[in-house]
Structure formats: C-alpha cells, structure tokens
Amino acid sequence: MSDPRLTIGYSPCPNDTHIFCALSHGLIATPGWQPSPPVLEDVETLNLWALQGRLDITKLSFNALGHVLDEYLLLRSGAALGRGCGPLLVAGRGIDPDQLDRISVAVPGKYTTAALLLRMYAPHCVNPVIMRFEEIMPAIVSGRVDAGVIIHESRFTYQRHNLSLVQDLGAWWEEVSGLPIPLGGIAVRRSLGQDLVGAIEAAVRESVLYARSHPHDCMAYVRAHAQEMEEDVVCSHIGLYVTGFSEDLGAEGIAAVEFFLEKGREVGALPWSRHSLFSRKS
C-alpha cells in the first residue's frame, strides 16, 4: 500500500514559508506519508477551513484551535509563539483604551488570536469589524475604522502610515500571564492516528531545523509570498516569529497554550472541550 498523500495548508507569511520551505520542496524525508502541494492562504481562511475540517494538516490561530479540538490536535513543532511578538492595537489618533466600546475597531478575522486577545483585554469591545489583516492599516488611514489590531509584518511598518500604538496586546498578555503569547500552531486530524501524527510532527520539526540552518536557501520562497518585500522587514519577521518554540513548544510553550485556551473559555469566547491537545505519542 502506498503512503497516504495528505493535504497541507499554511499562510504566505514569512514565518510559515520559512518553516515549511524544506517540507514543501522535498528537501526532507516524510516516511509513512506524502505531502500534497501546499495551499497558501490567509490565516483566517485557514481558520475557517479548519472549522469545516477541510485539510489534513493546517496552520491555524490558537483561537481557532479552541473551536476544533474535537477534530484536530496540535503538533509540538511549527508554532509561532514567543515574547515581544504579539498583535498591536493601533490607531490614527490618540484613543483612550476606555473608548474601545464606542469606536470601530478592526480585527484580522473572527477566529484569530488577535481577535481573542482584544476580547480578553477589552471585554466590552464585543463588535469588532472583521477584515483581512492587510486591509486594516489602510482602513484606519482612510477613516473607515478608528483603530485596528495588526499582525504579521504590519508591526514593523505601522509607523510609516502615521499610526500610533494604543496597546501592545502581546506585552499585556505577558504581564497578566507571565507566559509567552501563543499566536498560531500546526494542527492535524485526530483521525490520522498516533503513529502518523508522530511522523508528521517529526517532519515539521526537521523542516524547521533545515530552515534555521539554511536561511538563505529558503529566502527566495519566502520573498515570493511576502506582503512586505523589503529584506530587512522579512528577516525581522522571521527572527521574531520563528523561535525555539517553533522547533518544540516545550513545557513553557504548552503551559502558554493551555492557559490561553483556559482564559478564552473563561471570557465565553471558546467552548469547553474534553479532548487533549496532543497525541500521546507525539
């Protein structure tokens, strides 16, 4: 019997294309399975697809993970998690955080970690404006919305658009939790079974290690998909979001994910689940 061909999706952001470059280009072995040509989509599209159970292996926000634990489990490798790398709440004029229930605030998708962080930080801000992440800064500049939560490369460029920082939501999370901020991870179907999940996790980890030891080999692939093409922005993005946690969450990373999901359930944004985060063998 031939090895199963599994569907895989991740975002075009530099951290994901950096991490998955080797895996997607056949530069590492994938014993026991074969990856299909990857699908690169905006993270909120991937979140919505996860709710539909569309892909076998998918990048998704940890907010979305909290909604799909009956169908998916988390890999310990491939995650975006760290310190000093959280979403930023920005605006085009001075805004008091106490005003957030009276102004329009954009978030990059209903199921993004950014949206859940805003809910935790400002529980009274219950009706954010949903839009794609690359549309948020132009929407603030044009006056379509008063403020927005930005992610990805935008954190390196928002000042060029004369936007000001209202709150670093990642810094706020680190202060209240004492833990790094879990942004997104790699989830796989539970139905694949423990042995296959373990093989997928090992391959993703090898792809991370390849990228970290051969960064220049991956740069053409990364830049082909990046929203921001300036090399210093791309490199800063990778340096910020691809960390030791991307290789393995470890005890601290696992604690951060579990606490994030717990807090999401406490504010009523995530359903309670009896399912474990991980495969026992992973």
Side-chain angles (χ1 to χ4, degrees):
M1 181 181 295
S2 60
D3 292 338
R5 183 172 290 275
L6 304 180
T7 54
I8 181 170
Y10 49 87
S11 84
C13 295
N15 59 303
D16 282 351
T17 49
H18 178 79
I19 283 174
F20 282 100
C21 177
L23 180 61
S24 297
H25 289 81
L27 300 176
I28 59 170
T30 57
W33 67 286
Q34 300 179 58
S36 294
V39 179
L40 276 66
E41 277 290 351
D42 169 73
V43 68
E44 181 67 353
T45 298
L46 295 172
N47 290 338
L48 294 171
W49 286 0
L51 291 173
Q52 301 165 10
R54 183 164 172 175
L55 297 172
D56 298 313
I57 307 164
T58 185
K59 174 68 178 285
L60 80 177
S61 303
F62 281 113
N63 181 3
L65 178 66
H67 292 272
V68 298
L69 284 173
D70 56 337
E71 295 292 338
Y72 288 92
L73 50 78
L74 180 66
L75 298 186
R76 286 178 166 86
S77 53
L81 184 148
R83 297 182 183 276
C85 61
L88 306 178
L89 176 61
V90 301
R93 57 185 174 82
I95 286 178
D96 188 320
D98 291 336
Q99 298 177 313
L100 292 177
D101 60 336
R102 301 190 297 276
I103 63 174
S104 55
V105 182
V107 295
K110 178 179 179 180
Y111 296 100
T112 58
T113 295
L116 183 48
L117 273 174
L118 179 65
R119 175 80 174 269
M120 293 176 182
Y121 172 70
H124 49 283
C125 185
V126 295
N127 293 304
V129 180
I130 309 297
M131 60 179 62
R132 288 177 67 98
F133 81 91
E134 70 270 19
E135 298 174 352
I136 291 179
M137 290 197 298
I140 300 172
V141 172
S142 69
R144 288 173 54 204
V145 294
D146 298 308
V149 182
I150 58 173
I151 57 175
H152 301 325
E153 301 100 312
S154 300
R155 70 174 293 119
F156 303 107
T157 60
Y158 74 91
Q159 291 173 318
R160 300 179 190 174
H161 300 271
N162 296 317
L163 301 180
S164 59
L165 180 66
V166 178
Q167 176 65 53
D168 183 326
L169 294 176
W172 171 81
W173 166 264
E174 291 176 41
E175 182 178 348
V176 300
S177 71
L179 294 165
I181 177 66
L183 300 171
I186 311 303
V188 300
R189 293 190 194 276
R190 291 183 180 273
S191 60
L192 294 177
Q194 294 182 32
D195 291 339
L196 190 49
V197 168
I200 296 167
E201 183 171 82
V204 173
R205 182 174 293 113
E206 285 300 313
S207 194
V208 173
L209 293 173
Y210 182 96
R212 298 189 81 184
S213 60
H214 302 82
H216 297 294
D217 294 352
C218 299
M219 188 53 68
Y221 183 59
V222 170
R223 295 192 69 182
H225 297 283
Q227 291 287 332
E228 296 284 349
M229 294 301 295
E230 297 176 28
E231 187 164 348
D232 61 333
V233 174
V234 171
C235 291
S236 295
H237 181 115
I238 293 170
L240 190 62
Y241 295 111
V242 182
T243 67
F245 292 115
S246 303
E247 180 182 340
D248 192 296
L249 284 172
E252 186 179 31
I254 292 170
V257 175
E258 290 177 338
F259 190 65
F260 183 79
L261 297 180
E262 177 185 333
K263 289 301 178 185
R265 291 161 183 154
E266 286 181 2
V267 299
L270 296 179
W272 292 93
S273 175
R274 61 181 176 82
H275 295 285
S276 63
L277 276 175
F278 306 102
S279 169
R280 287 192 296 270
K281 286 189 177 182
S282 65

